[in-house]
Amino acid sequence: MAALLLDHSRLRPVVVISRFSDEDSPRLDSESIALELKGIADVVVITNGPATYELEQLLPVDTHIFGSAARVYPPGMKWTKDPYSSPLRLVRSRADVGTVTARIISDAEDVAFSGGWKTASPASKGSSAETGLVKSIARDGSRAVVELSSGLQVFLPEESTGLGVPLHWILREGMTVSGDFDTGKQIFSVAAIKPPAPAEGRDDGDLVPALVRSVGRGSADLALVPGHSHTVAISSISSNELDSAADLLTEGEVVAVRIHRSSGHIRLSMLDVDDSEPVLSAPELVPGGGPWLVPGRDLLPKAPDVSVTRLSAPVQTVHSQSPGSGSSALKSVELALAAERAKRQELEHQVAGLKSANQEHQVHAAELDADVMLSRQQAAELLGVQQEAGRLRTELAAANKQLSDLRKKLRGVRKEEAAPERMFLDPVEDFDFRLSLTWALQIPAADKNRLTLGRYRLGEDFLESLYEQPQEKQRKALKAIVDLLVKDPARLSLREAHQLRTHASGGSEVVARNNGQDVCWRLYIEQNVAAARRLHYWKCGDGEIELSRVAVHDVTQA
């Protein structure tokens, strides 16, 4: 056991579980722990007694195991110099079994997945092409377990992809992956991932997700695919020249950006981006792994972890000396009597020595008790540090989330501020101008000849219903009107245009006028928000569209 633990070339963690010899059933279930750690660590059980005493003599100070406990011995030699990097998990009562079992499994997984085990690996012995099934992915995406076709379960570390993104962004549990298995380091790497070119398959004007890689005052670097960043100036993020990109964006945030193509170059912009506008999916980096970017799934910085060391007092054993043996048989009574007197004196001397040694051992035991008490006090203090660190991590995560949300709200406010005031005193002229401007911004240059604004007229209540809306709702309404008037079926399908009926039931009559020649329709201006707005309009018999009103979804009045 000692030779195994002290072997510097050992690759896997070893979990050692100690048990009392007089226990009918051990407190820790070694079989279930071994099953849980299959492919991750080796599990060994040792019984208290001569074996644990001898093991203690063969291992460095404070690295032994005793009582009813468990300990994870990582690969490498760090634990021999820092025993508390491999904490002893002691079972004081049956009530501790569940907690200690969970901790020892967590200790073994942390050692195996932390990357520290790589330092103990010899030079690679070669690799082989393998296909495996993704069995599990760590919650933070730093590691995964892959089961090869042979049944062997191996590690897939995040850094092996070279993409700098969590594994759960590119893989899914249950999917099949191909790659190389390093037989020396016992790790699996997925086949070389070649992300597509930025904006590949996307058209001018498409809205896509992007990852904020870095943020400065005057610009930010955004990535559509890993390994390629586009620098976006603050003028393409906010129309307010006093704004800073650092105030509006968070590093690691996933945001929606619009693609603009010009002379073979790609430019990204966050101006004129509505939260309600559908965002196209990001590309898959590994087939079947899902889009690598998902709006709302941000890569916010992780708070550092703080581990607690477990202090334990070493077990001391006291070995007494055996008294000496008596003298040989004497030929005379006088010599026998003298020998007995000498023997009694020797025994009295030994008793006095044992009494003195006993007092010394009692003092030493008291010192050990004090050490144990100090150790427990330190453990309690460290536990308090861990709890405080946990509270601070929670507060930091909440603060990061709140900061990200506030920045998103600030971008929304900037969009509101960027909305133009009325350009004409006459409301009709002002509406015509704003509609034409919206059409010019919304329709890509390549589609302008095909998607022209059709004929329309304004109902007597339309402008009043439009201008009583907030600026943001007015802009959304203008976009919906553009989609209506260019008569593009795809755009109208997204708006779910349908006839307005007198009642909510599907069998009620449609709203009509002029003996049924004019029929009232409506379409979505926005969705999935409170009091979502709708556009009501007439399809007239003469072929023109008459804009009727902007209303909330519950209104059925034409």
Side-chain angles (χ1 to χ4, degrees):
M1 174 67 72
L4 170 66
L5 298 180
L6 294 172
D7 184 357
H8 70 276
S9 64
R10 175 165 55 90
L11 298 178
R12 287 152 63 102
V14 176
V15 179
V16 180
I17 300 174
S18 60
R19 53 165 294 182
F20 293 117
S21 58
D22 57 352
E23 282 188 328
D24 294 332
S25 59
R27 297 183 180 183
L28 293 175
D29 186 349
S30 58
E31 291 186 3
S32 65
I33 292 175
L35 183 62
E36 186 74 21
L37 295 176
K38 180 181 178 183
I40 295 177
D42 297 319
V43 180
V44 181
V45 179
I46 188 169
T47 302
N48 282 275
T52 55
Y53 293 142
E54 186 176 353
L55 183 63
E56 178 182 355
Q57 300 301 318
L58 296 173
L59 294 180
V61 177
D62 290 342
T63 63
H64 60 296
I65 186 167
F66 57 90
S68 180
R71 196 169 203 156
V72 176
Y73 292 88
M77 295 291 105
K78 178 183 176 182
W79 62 272
T80 63
K81 301 180 180 63
D82 181 11
Y84 302 121
S85 66
S86 171
L88 181 71
R89 304 299 188 186
L90 192 63
V91 181
R92 292 182 172 84
S93 67
R94 294 283 180 182
D96 296 335
V97 170
T99 302
V100 171
T101 299
R103 285 182 175 176
I104 208 69
I105 291 173
S106 176
D107 288 347
E109 290 179 339
D110 287 345
V111 168
F113 290 135
S114 67
W117 49 273
K118 291 182 181 177
T119 59
S121 300
S124 177
K125 299 178 182 178
S127 61
S128 59
E130 294 280 357
T131 298
L133 186 70
V134 179
K135 298 291 290 183
S136 64
I137 303 175
R139 185 175 300 178
D140 62 357
S142 62
R143 58 199 185 265
V145 174
V146 176
E147 184 175 84
L148 304 182
S149 55
S150 63
L152 179 65
Q153 292 190 350
V154 295
F155 308 135
L156 169 59
E158 172 191 329
E159 58 267 23
S160 68
T161 66
L163 299 177
V165 298
L167 291 177
H168 62 275
W169 282 23
I170 61 174
L171 302 176
R172 290 179 179 173
E173 292 184 5
M175 69 178 294
T176 301
V177 291
S178 299
D180 293 323
F181 174 51
D182 189 316
T183 56
K185 295 183 178 180
Q186 295 287 294
I187 62 172
F188 181 83
S189 301
V190 294
I193 300 174
K194 297 180 180 179
E200 181 178 308
R202 303 306 184 197
D203 297 325
D204 184 39
D206 280 348
L207 200 62
V208 297
L211 178 65
V212 180
R213 279 298 189 186
S214 62
V215 180
R217 176 172 179 78
S219 64
D221 288 338
L222 275 60
L224 301 181
V225 295
H228 295 274
S229 293
H230 299 268
T231 300
V232 182
I234 183 62
S235 59
S236 294
I237 301 173
S238 171
S239 59
N240 189 327
E241 53 188 29
L242 299 179
D243 274 340
S244 164
D247 293 333
L248 300 175
L249 297 174
T250 305
E251 185 175 333
E253 183 181 7
V254 177
V255 297
V257 298
R258 196 176 301 282
I259 296 174
H260 294 290
R261 296 181 179 273
S262 177
S263 303
H265 297 285
I266 296 174
R267 182 175 62 85
L268 305 181
S269 173
M270 296 183 66
L271 300 176
D272 192 39
V273 173
D274 280 339
D275 294 337
S276 61
E277 190 173 354
V279 181
L280 299 179
S281 296
E284 288 186 343
L285 303 184
V286 178
W292 84 284
L293 291 180
V294 176
R297 185 180 66 186
D298 299 333
L299 187 64
L300 296 178
K302 301 174 184 176
D305 193 13
V306 178
S307 61
V308 171
T309 57
R310 177 63 64 88
L311 302 181
S312 59
V315 173
Q316 299 283 336
T317 57
V318 179
H319 301 280
S320 60
Q321 297 180 353
S322 301
S325 61
S327 61
S328 62
L330 299 178
K331 295 181 179 180
S332 65
V333 175
E334 290 83 5
L335 290 177
L337 181 59
E340 289 295 326
R341 287 173 181 170
K343 184 177 180 181
R344 192 180 77 174
Q345 289 177 352
E346 182 182 358
L347 290 174
E348 288 176 349
H349 178 71
Q350 289 182 1
V351 168
L354 288 174
K355 287 182 178 178
S356 176
N358 183 50
Q359 290 178 349
E360 292 179 1
H361 286 308
Q362 287 180 350
V363 171
H364 187 52
E367 292 174 349
L368 288 177
D369 288 341
D371 288 340
V372 171
M373 185 178 298
L374 177 60
S375 298
R376 290 174 178 171
Q377 179 180 345
Q378 291 174 335
E381 291 174 353
L382 289 172
L383 180 60
V385 170
Q386 184 191 40
Q387 292 173 343
E388 177 66 12
R391 184 184 65 81
L392 293 176
R393 284 199 301 271
T394 301
E395 291 182 358
L396 178 60
N400 284 334
K401 180 65 169 61
Q402 185 178 15
L403 179 60
S404 178
D405 291 342
L406 288 174
R407 284 172 172 163
K408 291 176 182 178
K409 288 182 179 179
L410 182 57
R411 292 201 298 271
V413 170
R414 290 311 187 211
K415 293 174 188 176
E416 283 270 343
E417 293 175 351
E421 298 294 336
R422 291 194 181 185
M423 297 297 181
F424 297 91
L425 293 177
D426 181 79
V428 175
E429 291 183 22
D430 182 69
F431 173 79
D432 289 340
F433 170 76
R434 292 176 63 185
L435 182 63
S436 298
L437 178 61
T438 302
W439 173 83
L441 294 172
Q442 187 169 331
I443 304 301
D447 294 334
K448 280 187 167 60
N449 289 334
R450 180 175 63 89
L451 301 178
T452 59
L453 287 173
R455 293 186 303 158
Y456 69 93
R457 56 175 175 256
L458 305 179
E460 60 181 29
D461 297 327
F462 174 73
L463 289 180
E464 180 181 354
S465 70
L466 175 67
Y467 288 135
E468 70 183 11
Q469 307 295 328
Q471 288 284 350
E472 178 192 0
K473 308 296 184 184
Q474 292 183 35
R475 290 191 302 105
K476 291 181 178 181
L478 287 168
K479 288 191 171 189
I481 295 171
V482 168
D483 286 345
L484 168 65
L485 296 180
V486 298
K487 299 179 180 179
D488 183 1
R491 293 172 179 266
L492 284 178
S493 175
L494 292 175
R495 299 285 183 180
E496 297 187 17
H498 58 282
Q499 293 177 336
L500 182 66
R501 298 185 179 273
T502 54
H503 301 289
S505 61
S508 60
E509 296 182 355
V510 298
V511 178
R513 67 184 185 187
N514 292 341
N515 295 324
Q517 296 184 19
D518 301 341
V519 178
C520 191
W521 287 63
R522 73 172 178 174
L523 51 75
Y524 290 154
I525 292 176
E526 53 187 359
Q527 301 183 58
N528 301 324
V529 296
R533 269 52 173 189
R534 304 288 186 261
L535 174 66
H536 291 193
Y537 59 95
W538 293 94
K539 281 189 176 181
C540 301
D542 59 5
E544 283 196 4
I545 296 294
E546 180 180 316
L547 304 178
S548 178
R549 68 174 63 246
V550 175
V552 295
H553 64 86
D554 292 333
V555 174
T556 58
Q557 181 183 356

